[in-house]
Amino acid sequence: MRSLQAASADCQTGQGNGKAPSRILALDTSTALLSTAILVDGEVVAERHSAAERNHSIRLVPAIEELLAEAGMTAADLDGIAVGSGPGSYTGVRIAVTVAKTLAWSLQLPLVSVSTLAALALGGKQNYARGQGAPVWVAPILDARRENVYTGLYALWDGAANMQNMSGDRNRQLQQWLDELIGAAIAGELDGTVVERPAEILVVGETGRFTAQLQAAEERARQGGISFGWQESQIDAAYIGAIGLVREWDAEEVHDVVPNYTQLAEAEAKLLAKRT
């Protein structure tokens, strides 16, 4: 059993009047890793991680049943569901969102959607040495092919109870994104807004195939006096739940929760182009 109270205390992506449920099912299938967890009062009491992307549709419901059995619970004991809404694999994102909505509707449970990238950033932050005083900029990345990544930017302060979303989830060309991040960190300005210079920039997620780009970025950052690091990491549904703990649970209607793809699939874009 592991506690996520510290992680959720550091993460304020949203706050509201809807009190967080005490028993949360969290799930994410937006990447090759199927990840599920049950949290009770901020403690992870059961979790499953399965690397079989093509089997997410087959494995997700059995994984949830296994989790409930391990936790000594039934579906009726749940108070809420938190689901990773992407971006990521188009099919994968749909699987988790569809299952979460079906369970929430049938069991009459509140449902919150959480950015997969936000959870990836929070998990990376929890497992990496942080700077003192100044924020760490965490840029989660997921491979979107053709040298593009799904990414965002989060500022995290050591010991401070917040996690600031500095950029919406997007599909971006990695090299341009790294150049922009380093330039913004050196200048203390992002998208025309003055920002606090970070103690370091941390890239987390699917970094393995981008080693050359990251090494070049590290050198550019070093020359500008900015510490730069990266680490390969995978989505952990426990952090979907941790963010869920500080979300506004009465803000989303179950049927309004939809996947966040950040862009149309190539086939959909071509079809739309033909129609217009």
Side-chain angles (χ1 to χ4, degrees):
M1 183 181 297
R2 56 183 171 126
S3 174
L4 291 181
Q5 293 290 4
S8 59
D10 282 347
C11 175
Q12 294 183 352
T13 57
Q15 299 226 352
N17 297 322
K19 183 179 179 182
S22 62
R23 291 165 293 190
I24 298 173
L25 169 66
L27 57 153
D28 188 284
T29 59
S30 59
T31 70
L33 185 73
L34 182 158
S35 185
T36 55
I38 291 178
L39 286 70
V40 177
D41 296 327
E43 303 280 343
V44 180
V45 298
E47 55 188 323
R48 288 283 187 281
H49 309 286
S50 174
E53 185 173 7
R54 294 183 181 179
N55 291 327
H56 285 353
S57 59
I58 299 172
R59 285 293 305 144
L60 181 54
V61 172
I64 293 172
E65 293 172 344
E66 293 168 6
L67 280 181
L68 290 168
E70 182 178 332
M73 299 167 59
T74 68
D77 294 318
L78 295 171
D79 297 324
I81 300 173
V83 62
S85 57
S89 161
Y90 289 84
T91 300
V93 172
R94 284 195 291 266
I95 290 169
V97 170
T98 299
V99 170
K101 291 174 68 171
T102 301
L103 286 174
W105 181 81
S106 61
L107 297 170
Q108 295 297 293
L109 295 175
L111 172 67
V112 295
S113 59
V114 174
S115 164
T116 296
L117 292 174
L120 191 59
L122 182 60
K125 172 254 192 179
Q126 292 299 111
N127 294 297
Y128 191 85
R130 295 166 299 222
Q132 298 294 323
V136 174
W137 285 5
V138 183
I141 63 171
L142 294 174
D143 188 0
R145 301 180 182 179
R146 300 178 181 176
E147 302 303 315
N148 287 350
V149 293
Y150 299 112
T151 189
L153 180 62
Y154 296 84
L156 300 123
W157 282 261
D158 185 36
N162 64 45
M163 173 178 174
Q164 181 183 353
N165 184 347
M166 300 180 68
S167 172
D169 294 347
R170 307 179 192 178
N171 182 306
R172 306 190 62 151
Q173 203 280 332
L174 178 60
Q175 189 64 64
Q176 293 176 357
W177 177 230
L178 292 174
D179 289 343
E180 183 177 330
L181 286 180
I182 294 168
I186 294 172
E189 182 177 319
L190 178 67
D191 294 332
T193 301
V194 175
V195 294
E196 184 177 357
R197 282 168 52 96
E200 59 186 318
I201 297 173
L202 170 63
V203 180
V204 299
E206 296 178 347
T207 60
R209 68 177 299 267
F210 301 113
T211 301
Q213 294 95 319
L214 292 168
Q215 288 176 337
E218 180 182 29
E219 176 60 22
R220 291 195 301 275
R222 185 191 65 77
Q223 293 175 358
I226 300 293
S227 177
F228 184 96
W230 67 90
Q231 62 178 13
E232 179 79 13
S233 56
Q234 294 181 311
I235 187 65
D236 184 340
Y239 292 105
I240 297 286
I243 294 175
L245 287 172
V246 295
R247 292 293 299 274
E248 187 175 350
W249 282 81
D250 57 4
E252 289 182 285
E253 293 291 337
V254 169
H255 295 299
D256 291 337
V257 173
V258 295
N260 175 22
Y261 301 124
T262 72
Q263 67 173 15
L264 292 175
E266 184 175 359
E268 292 175 303
K270 288 181 178 179
L271 179 61
L272 183 61
K274 288 182 179 180
R275 289 177 176 173
T276 56

